[in-house]
Amino acid sequence: MTAASPPEILRAPLVVEFPFTRSLGPVQSAFLTGLREGVVLGVTTADGKVMVPPVEYDPVTAEEIRDLVEVGTTGTVTTWAWNGSPRPNQPLATPFAWVLVRLDGADTALLHALDAPGPEAVATGMRVRVRWAAERKGAITDIACFEPAGDGEPRDAQATPHSGEFADAVTGIVAEARLDYSYSPGRAQTAYIAGLSEQKTIGERCPSCHKVYVPPRGACPTCGVATTDRVEVGPAGTVTTYCIVNIKAKNLDIEVPYVYAHIALDGAGLALHGRIGGIPYDQVRMGLRVEPVWTEGGRYPDHYRPTGEPDADYDVYKELI
Amino acid sequence: MARYAREVAVVAFAQSDHLRRTDELSEVEMVMPVLHKVLAATGLKAGEIGFTCSGSSDYLAGRAFSFTMTLDGVGAWPPISESHVEMDGAWALYEAWVKIQTGEADTALVYSYGKSSPGSVRDVLTRQLDPYYVAPLWPDSVALAALQAQALIDAGETDEAGLAEIGARSRASAGANPHAQLSGAVAQGDYQVAPLRTGDCPPIGDGAAAVILAAGDVARRLCERPAWITGIDHRIEAHSLGLRDLTDSPSTRIAAEHAGVFESPVDTAELHAPFSSQEVVLRKALGLGGDVAVNPSGGALAANPMMAAGLIRIGEAAARIHRGESDRAVAHATSGPCLQQNLVAVLEGDRA
């Protein structure tokens, strides 16, 4: 088999989700618990600057900051950007403005969304107020968004000291994230996966050192060159080494103990791994000759079973261990 | 050259064509031709390289430890000395430069790459934000740049027409760059997040770049006119956007001071400004006058492969010195929202 044009590029949805559980320090805990209670807290730095949202260390001096203050729920837009096409997960589903808002009593600005009818209704310097979420749980999204406030509304100009103590303080958040990708495996792996669909195992040979990589990734890691020459390997192979698995994996319907082995398929320059079946676990050995067993509709071998051939000589596979 | 213990130069640079999609290529398949090109330019073999350092991001790839796959393209057997930064390759170059300064290596291969096409890069980049106060709101990269642009407009530093000119000039310059993703006349288009229009934003694409660094006489042997790194520094600012002055970039200025940018004039500036508005900020921070050729390659507005675009700025600046088109260039790379982190390098060619 030589370099043929690759099959149609494969593509599959790939979803990455990570609900990180994050703990909060005393300052972040007070701030997020405060939001739950409808109170916005900041911190005062050594030089008297009020930072909202609060940080735990002074960005200039790196000094620890713990002096909490309450600031107003109205404020002034310091800059903004009109988002005509909201993206998934953003605070509002209808067009809105991103805003940095300096709350009354604060010296720094908080990023959030502003619900406004259109960009003509937004300006730097405009007065806005917090719109609280209907249900609050101690997260930045407890502020649903900001909304325009009339210039006539009072300014709570002063930041006032606050203990930061609340009943049932929030001590952690779950920072959920989901990213959707469309994964394409590239030329070499596409050919490998396409081969599997015909129950064939396709490797690729390095033009320089002639080693056959399986599964192929398109490059020879020794020579650093593309492996373009496709080679069908197997189907039979030799167990080069193995281990006995005694721990039942979650969601895995295989009785323990079972054997997981490195298998050098005939013609391959390195071993891949697979489960060994069809033989008692304590009879698996190095040199055992095995072949793949495909299940109905399976997209890769379910396991490998003995072929019944005599064991391979150690010298034949010792380079592949 | 008294600033540092050793003379270190960029002796070769290569990059891929930057494309909207490269579905037919895995990352190693995309990177490998670039590695071959940059090695071929010096005649060095992979095994002769003293240190290898790469930059990339698992979040772009959607896979953990994705960079280990591209190591196959390097030729990492027999074992090599290697490292990786989860950042733009400009920071990988900084690590490699430090490695050479310590005397542990005389040559280094630096490469970086990013495929933005499999995911939605605007959403992916939200994951680099503060996870407590900002990331849960999913403000995308264009939105954050737009906040900065509005702050500049409010401050009278630029206006929408001025921003459009930056995009137009960049893409016109990119006409001479065969690797660019966008070149020539590009419609300014609709607002993406106002005040930024399509023309103010970088193209989303896939691409890779590689650079070879060498010390002293090795550099002179490998390259007719080495691009000596006479200064390099990088600085970061507080992550909270609300406590920064978005119209300025003090981190760029401090990095530039430490790199010696202001000690004598530069003729070329390769600035990593993915958004037109960011060029306004960087020009001010670096004190660039109208006589400096800014982004003659087209810059990030013409091709912005994530994690490679900053390294490309250093590579493009070096290539101009190699070709004799520049004697003293400043190269800049950025990372994070609204120019949060900035690296500045000064590259100089020997005068005839």
Side-chain angles (χ1 to χ4, degrees):
Chain A
M1 224 186 243
T2 52
S5 63
E8 194 187 341
I9 294 303
L10 297 175
R11 217 177 262 126
L14 171 68
V15 179
V16 176
E17 283 185 285
F18 30 91
F20 284 121
T21 303
R22 295 181 175 275
S23 52
L24 304 173
V27 170
Q28 290 174 320
S29 171
F31 176 68
L32 293 179
T33 309
L35 294 184
R36 188 190 68 196
E37 303 304 320
V39 170
V40 183
L41 298 182
V43 286
T44 306
T45 64
D47 61 0
K49 215 172 162 191
V50 174
M51 306 181 88
V52 180
V55 297
E56 295 156 309
Y57 296 90
D58 188 307
V60 177
T61 64
E63 265 179 61
E64 190 173 338
I65 311 176
R66 293 291 181 270
D67 295 331
L68 293 161
V69 289
E70 181 177 351
V71 298
T73 55
T74 53
T76 304
V77 170
T78 62
T79 187
W80 62 285
W82 185 255
N83 187 24
S85 309
R87 303 173 73 79
N89 305 310
Q90 291 181 345
L92 295 167
T94 50
F96 66 89
W98 289 106
V99 282
L100 281 167
V101 176
R102 191 170 56 233
L103 289 167
D104 296 337
D107 295 302
T108 67
L110 170 84
L111 178 74
H112 221 295
L114 170 68
D115 188 6
E120 61 289 339
V122 187
T124 297
M126 77 182 284
R127 298 283 297 157
V128 295
R129 68 169 157 254
V130 169
R131 180 191 295 167
W132 295 105
E135 280 181 47
R136 302 202 295 270
K137 57 181 185 181
I140 190 67
T141 46
D142 286 355
I143 297 176
C145 61
F146 283 87
E147 58 191 23
D151 286 338
E153 288 195 32
R155 297 181 183 224
D156 319 321
Q158 292 299 313
T160 52
H162 193 286
S163 69
E165 286 167 19
F166 298 96
D168 190 23
V170 177
T171 57
I173 59 166
V174 178
E176 289 184 44
R178 172 189 165 126
L179 296 169
D180 284 87
Y181 300 85
S182 174
Y183 181 69
S184 290
R187 180 195 56 78
Q189 293 179 92
T190 292
Y192 173 73
I193 293 166
L196 287 178
S197 68
E198 297 171 28
Q199 302 196 351
K200 289 177 183 167
T201 302
I202 309 290
E204 284 192 352
R205 192 191 311 277
C206 172
S208 176
C209 71
H210 307 296
K211 190 168 176 172
V212 174
Y213 290 91
V214 54
R217 290 211 294 258
C220 173
T222 303
C223 305
V225 298
T227 55
T228 48
D229 191 14
R230 263 180 236 141
V231 183
E232 183 177 344
V233 299
T238 301
V239 171
T240 63
T241 186
Y242 64 94
C243 65
I244 299 164
V245 180
N246 287 289
I247 298 167
K248 198 169 168 61
K250 204 174 165 185
N251 304 324
L252 194 62
D253 189 23
I254 298 169
E255 287 306 313
V256 292
Y258 65 89
V259 172
Y260 203 65
H262 275 192
I263 301 155
L265 295 178
D266 295 346
L270 74 170
L272 46 69
H273 38 226
R275 183 169 62 89
I276 304 296
I279 180 172
Y281 73 90
D282 56 356
Q283 291 178 29
V284 175
R285 55 202 179 266
M286 290 170 72
L288 180 71
R289 295 284 294 160
V290 294
E291 62 188 3
V293 177
W294 300 78
T295 51
E296 183 71 31
R299 298 163 85 173
Y300 48 87
D302 178 71
H303 64 277
Y304 292 79
R305 70 182 172 207
T307 62
E309 297 167 82
D311 286 4
D313 280 341
Y314 178 67
D315 283 346
V316 174
Y317 65 85
K318 68 178 181 186
E319 298 293 327
L320 304 178
I321 291 175
Chain B
M1 302 296 289
R3 195 183 300 272
Y4 306 118
R6 300 186 81 192
E7 296 176 304
V8 178
V10 175
V11 295
F13 167 58
Q15 61 185 314
S16 65
D17 290 342
H18 306 296
L19 304 167
R20 179 63 190 88
R21 312 196 67 85
T22 53
D23 290 351
E24 72 288 2
L25 299 175
S26 67
E27 283 166 330
V28 64
E29 289 165 345
M30 181 175 75
V31 167
M32 207 163 27
V34 178
L35 298 177
H36 291 172
K37 247 188 275 180
V38 78
L39 286 166
T42 58
L44 288 172
K45 300 204 166 34
E48 297 169 323
I49 295 286
F51 182 61
T52 298
C53 198
S54 61
S56 68
S57 168
D58 282 354
Y59 277 83
L60 288 174
R63 294 192 309 286
F65 293 97
S66 59
F67 73 92
T68 60
M69 302 294 179
T70 52
L71 269 180
D72 285 355
V74 170
W77 183 269
I80 61 169
S81 173
E82 187 269 347
S83 185
H84 174 261
V85 297
E86 193 77 7
M87 298 185 76
D88 189 288
W91 278 267
L93 180 142
Y94 186 86
E95 182 176 336
W97 174 85
V98 169
K99 192 81 167 181
I100 295 176
Q101 286 298 333
T102 64
E104 285 194 36
D106 292 328
T107 55
L109 169 64
V110 179
Y111 68 96
S112 65
Y113 60 92
K115 287 184 73 167
S116 295
S117 59
S120 168
V121 72
R122 285 173 67 176
D123 300 324
V124 169
L125 289 177
T126 64
R127 301 302 93 191
Q128 71 180 334
L129 303 170
D130 161 22
Y132 300 97
Y133 302 158
V134 182
L137 306 175
W138 292 78
D140 60 281
S141 46
V142 181
L144 296 175
L147 287 168
Q148 187 170 33
Q150 184 64 45
L152 286 163
I153 291 170
D154 286 338
E157 303 262 3
T158 188
D159 53 25
E160 289 193 34
L163 296 179
E165 275 173 35
I166 290 169
R169 191 211 73 234
S170 298
R171 274 105 187 203
S173 299
N177 177 356
H179 303 290
Q181 188 176 337
L182 286 184
S183 63
V186 171
Q188 187 62 359
D190 295 332
Y191 286 122
Q192 294 298 301
V193 179
L196 293 180
R197 294 176 183 270
T198 311
D200 295 309
C201 302
I204 295 171
D206 302 349
V211 154
I212 290 180
L213 299 181
D217 288 342
V218 180
R220 292 183 184 93
R221 176 166 61 78
L222 295 175
C223 182
E224 203 175 313
R225 191 173 193 242
W228 300 107
I229 300 173
T230 58
I232 187 166
D233 197 82
H234 62 102
R235 301 278 154 164
I236 191 168
E237 296 174 40
H239 62 252
S240 177
L241 293 171
L243 58 82
R244 287 163 50 189
D245 173 3
L246 296 179
T247 67
D248 199 6
S249 182
S251 54
T252 298
R253 187 175 295 110
I254 294 168
E257 280 166 9
H258 284 255
V261 172
F262 306 123
E263 290 168 11
S264 61
V266 296
D267 54 46
T268 299
E270 279 286 343
L271 307 180
H272 186 191
F275 297 93
S276 57
S277 42
Q278 295 179 341
E279 185 179 304
V280 177
V281 179
L282 293 171
R283 275 178 179 271
K284 186 169 75 168
L286 292 167
L288 299 177
D291 54 335
V292 178
V294 173
N295 287 342
S297 65
L301 285 163
N304 189 38
M306 298 303 303
M307 305 298 141
L311 180 62
I312 290 170
R313 303 282 73 77
I314 299 173
E316 290 280 9
R320 270 174 81 82
I321 288 170
H322 295 160
R323 294 192 298 262
E325 294 165 7
S326 168
D327 290 327
R328 190 170 194 264
V330 58
H332 159 268
T334 195
S335 181
C338 300
L339 302 171
Q340 185 191 1
Q341 185 164 5
N342 296 284
L343 179 148
V344 176
V346 178
L347 301 159
E348 293 183 55
D350 291 323
R351 314 286 169 117

